[in-house]
Amino acid sequence: MGAIPGTPTGHHTRGDMSRTARRGGARSARRPTAALTALTVVAGALLTAIPAFLPPGVPGGATARAAPADIPGGLILVLDASGSMAEDDGTGTTRMDDAREALGTAVDALPEGYPTGLRLYGSENSDCTDTRLAQPVEPVDPEAIRDALGSVGPTGNTPTSLALERAVEDLPEVPHGAIARRTVLLISDGESNCDGEPPCEVAERLAGDGVDLRIDTVGFRIGEEGRAELECIAEAGHGTYYDAPDGEALGRELERAARLSADGYRFEGEEVDGGADAASAPTLEPGGYLDRIGPGETRWYAVDLDDVSTADVAVTAVPHPGVAVHRRDGLLLTLSESSDKLRRCVRQDVRFGDDEGAMILTGAVSRVPSPNGNATCDAAGRYLLSVERESEEGSDGAHWPIELRVAVEEPLPDDVRPAASATSYGAAGPDSPLPTDEPVDIEGGTGFNDAVELAPGVHRDRLLPAQTRFYRVPVGWGQQLRYRVEFGNEPTLEERSASSWVRTVAYAPHRAPIGRGDFRADRPYRGEESAVDMGTVPVTWTNRYESSAAVTPVRSPGDHYIAVSLGPGATEIARNAAIGVVLRVDVVGEELTGPGHDAVPVSAGEGDASGAEDEGERDDGERDAGNGDDSAAPGESGAADGAGWGAPL
């Protein structure tokens, strides 16, 4: 990943990917790229079966966590209650009965307290102004929503445009400087039959740049004209169209759409406006920042650095899950030194890597002073970061929220001689044993800021198509992170022909993706047993001078992040709304007291406790930030003379 899907130039990293793209029609089945399917199978990957059926809405039957009270946004369900919803669904019940049951399932699956409301249209008369707010957008109250649905008798016409207008007004306003996730989820069994502005045009006008609002649509037993209208609304509204041919599918797709809204990335940071050019770049101090970027835009930022400290800048882009993207879409990050003229220090290109749909993208660039202090980007001064969004024609045009994190790591004290770099997996390689305890139910975080801490052991979670879950594991000096993510057999849809993918990415404490090295971190997914593996070399200060993407980032102790993703195309495979996953996590090796070559284990007493905090990219000129594959592009490896040393520096 730059985050989970993504492919940096020269080093390919799968960034946080999202849902299968739908362009002007039902999503077509897409197969994994050749690069993914050609990966070598990890020897000895043992799978323990995961229970196929888990209680809906929460992982493994655990209690759903409450939604944070300070997260702006919310969900408004908009239900077509026109006369056609009184028709028999083919099983002896009405379409409205199916909708009541499906909406009940969806709201039961939402986190406690998540702002959710219900709007109806066509429920009272044949007037094209017939729409009403049946339940305000407030902390979700499943019983109140069920009560509001219980008295609905499908009656009137289908004023879709007016219902969309009113629904957006129902949602809470976004506070200045905040990034919200407001969602309109429209459910209909037919096209609009009222005059006025076409619903697709209304959706485009309401959604605007798409930063804070998306419009998802669900077509229930719908004909071609109605489907085309709902697909157009979703595309114009920077959202996703879900097709529900029967009541079971309606419940499944509503739960998926509602949970993706509630589980949106939790942002943290100070609002900042990136410059349109280098001259207007705002100066960033260490900390977190929030901005937004449109298709084809470049945003500029500056950091002032001394000549001895390592600096890391991570950028996370969060598109709406699963909207249409091209595999070459993504971010290009460039860090340049600007004392005289712009001299490029390091570049990273993070791309989705396939066409299934958008997902979270994370990349990081670093300035690591060379051992001799005479490389191109060693000097003190003003450094510039450019973030360019690359977008192919036909991709979703929404602006993406981006989260920037700036970290500066001071050099080691003069009296600390760092240990040699550690480039081997050793006892934590792909064939190493992993915990076999009984799984503990958890619910992963939405991103880096609320990643759930995992202790060594076995954990069980659930994952929606187009979703990425985040976890964090403390790893100390000299230790290694090792884990496996297992996907069990799942009930699948009949006559399925689709194929998607499962993927994991590990991140260093400063959010730089760690190359997969000897591990297989992504695989095709068809609803059958599968597993992806990942691990790190020992945390060693001197790793920063190595050229391998699997080694360079592993240079600082602290929380290492695990991201696990399920491809958007899994909506066409899995019968359950979410699928079960098991994580087997281990931290290998004794923790050392510091980065020094003579550091002793923590358990043996105090030693050299000097620490470093973040990862860096060393360069004697320009290089690509290692992020996925372990090999650098020709001529771009800037490792210092003597890197890979077998003795202390």
Side-chain angles (χ1 to χ4, degrees):
M1 285 186 230
I4 286 181
T7 21
T9 302
H11 301 277
H12 297 291
T13 296
R14 310 297 299 181
D16 306 337
M17 306 195 67
S18 205
R19 184 172 217 84
T20 302
R22 297 175 183 263
R23 292 193 179 113
R27 174 168 42 215
S28 60
R30 301 194 186 272
R31 300 195 176 276
T33 62
L36 188 155
T37 55
L39 292 171
T40 304
V41 177
V42 175
L46 300 177
L47 260 181
T48 298
I50 299 169
F53 293 96
L54 294 172
V58 290
T63 302
R65 65 182 177 187
D70 58 346
I71 298 299
L75 169 69
I76 181 73
L77 303 162
V78 183
L79 178 63
D80 174 2
S82 60
S84 58
M85 290 290 284
E87 295 179 9
D88 193 307
D89 69 351
T91 66
T93 60
T94 67
R95 295 183 179 183
M96 181 56 70
D97 289 335
D98 288 335
R100 289 190 183 98
E101 183 175 352
L103 283 167
T105 298
V107 296
D108 282 342
L110 289 171
E112 180 183 349
Y114 187 68
T116 306
L118 172 67
R119 173 168 286 276
L120 304 171
Y121 65 105
S123 64
E124 295 184 329
N125 55 57
S126 297
D127 195 327
C128 278
T129 61
D130 177 19
T131 179
R132 64 185 177 88
L133 182 63
Q135 175 68 18
V137 180
E138 56 189 26
V140 62
D141 186 341
E143 289 307 314
I145 291 177
R146 284 190 174 86
D147 290 344
L149 288 168
S151 60
V152 176
T155 303
N157 285 311
T158 313
T160 306
S161 295
L162 180 63
L164 287 173
E165 292 262 16
R166 297 290 184 267
V168 174
E169 295 172 0
D170 297 334
L171 290 167
E173 294 186 3
V174 180
H176 178 71
I179 293 178
R181 277 294 188 244
R182 302 188 303 158
T183 304
V184 175
L185 178 53
L186 174 69
I187 308 104
S188 179
D189 68 340
E191 67 273 20
S192 174
N193 60 2
C194 291
D195 295 334
E197 187 178 5
C200 195
E201 295 180 12
V202 171
E204 183 175 18
R205 172 169 52 81
L206 293 173
D209 63 12
V211 170
D212 298 315
L213 177 69
R214 68 177 283 158
I215 302 174
D216 291 332
T217 59
V218 180
F220 179 42
R221 293 185 172 273
I222 200 164
E224 290 187 10
E225 291 186 5
R227 179 183 291 108
E229 181 176 274
L230 292 182
E231 287 173 344
C232 184
I233 291 171
E235 183 176 358
H238 309 298
T240 299
Y241 170 77
Y242 300 84
D243 194 60
D246 53 43
E248 179 188 355
L250 182 62
R252 177 174 61 244
E253 304 302 352
L254 284 178
E255 181 179 341
R256 286 171 174 167
R259 282 303 300 253
L260 283 176
S261 171
D263 290 342
Y265 190 97
R266 305 288 191 259
F267 293 93
E268 287 185 10
E270 174 187 344
E271 183 182 20
V272 65
D273 290 325
D277 51 36
S280 58
T283 301
L284 306 183
E285 300 291 334
Y289 300 88
L290 302 177
D291 202 355
R292 53 202 67 193
I293 189 168
E297 285 187 351
T298 299
R299 309 288 273 178
W300 291 82
Y301 312 89
V303 290
D304 293 328
L305 303 177
D306 59 27
D307 60 353
V308 292
S309 300
T310 293
D312 304 296
V313 185
V315 180
T316 298
V318 188
H320 292 300
V323 294
V325 293
H326 190 276
R327 65 184 182 85
R328 290 193 295 268
D329 291 355
L331 298 177
L332 177 62
L333 312 181
T334 305
L335 186 66
S336 303
E337 193 270 340
S338 65
S339 58
D340 181 15
K341 58 181 180 179
L342 286 184
R343 293 186 294 178
R344 195 159 59 194
C345 303
V346 60
R347 167 176 283 184
Q348 184 185 66
D349 200 352
V350 188
R351 302 179 185 275
F352 292 110
D354 62 39
D355 300 331
E356 276 199 26
M359 296 191 73
I360 301 169
L361 290 170
T362 297
V365 289
S366 303
R367 194 291 298 264
V368 179
S370 65
N372 299 324
N374 56 4
T376 303
C377 295
D378 281 351
R382 183 176 176 84
Y383 286 75
L384 290 166
L385 170 71
S386 64
V387 181
E388 179 182 354
R389 177 175 163 189
E390 299 173 310
S391 184
E392 296 285 325
E393 184 177 356
S395 297
D396 181 67
H399 282 59
W400 295 348
I402 56 175
E403 182 177 83
L404 299 95
R405 180 180 178 274
V406 180
V408 175
E409 171 197 346
E410 295 182 356
L412 294 180
D414 292 339
D415 60 348
V416 175
R417 190 164 63 136
S421 53
T423 61
S424 172
Y425 291 105
D431 296 330
S432 60
L434 285 162
T436 57
D437 313 337
E438 283 297 313
V440 175
D441 290 325
I442 57 170
E443 186 171 358
T446 66
F448 293 102
N449 301 308
D450 64 346
V452 173
E453 182 172 337
L454 301 183
V458 184
H459 312 270
R460 182 171 55 200
D461 204 347
R462 302 181 76 212
L463 204 60
L464 297 164
Q467 186 176 50
T468 298
R469 290 291 199 189
F470 285 78
Y471 315 89
R472 57 188 174 88
V473 181
V475 183
W477 288 115
Q479 292 185 310
Q480 298 173 256
L481 172 63
R482 172 74 175 94
Y483 68 92
R484 174 177 299 148
V485 186
E486 299 174 354
F487 300 79
N489 285 326
E490 285 285 331
T492 55
L493 301 174
E494 296 178 2
E495 300 179 359
R496 74 187 191 283
S497 59
S499 180
S500 187
W501 47 261
V502 292
R503 179 175 303 129
T504 187
V505 174
Y507 294 88
H510 60 288
R511 303 186 181 181
I514 299 171
R516 63 177 179 263
D518 295 341
F519 295 92
R520 180 163 184 177
D522 48 9
R523 289 180 182 268
Y525 179 72
R526 299 180 180 87
E528 301 163 348
E529 288 184 356
S530 185
V532 289
D533 280 76
M534 192 59 189
T536 71
V537 298
V539 175
T540 308
W541 191 90
T542 317
N543 283 348
R544 66 193 63 214
Y545 299 129
E546 295 291 338
S547 60
S548 168
V551 177
T552 305
V554 189
R555 56 173 168 85
S556 305
D559 286 338
H560 285 59
Y561 298 93
I562 296 172
V564 181
S565 298
L566 175 62
T571 56
E572 298 178 7
I573 300 171
R575 182 174 294 277
N576 292 334
I579 70 168
V581 296
V582 166
L583 293 89
R584 302 184 185 276
V585 179
D586 199 6
V587 176
V588 179
E590 286 191 286
E591 181 179 4
L592 303 179
T593 52
H597 75 285
D598 56 354
V600 298
V602 170
S603 59
E606 294 298 321
D608 180 351
S610 298
E613 184 185 326
D614 275 322
E615 172 217 357
E617 292 296 336
R618 152 86 189 87
D619 85 35
D620 291 332
E622 179 190 351
R623 62 167 291 183
D624 263 11
N627 197 4
D629 293 337
D630 292 341
S631 56
E636 292 180 325
S637 175
D641 293 340
W645 21 61
L649 172 66

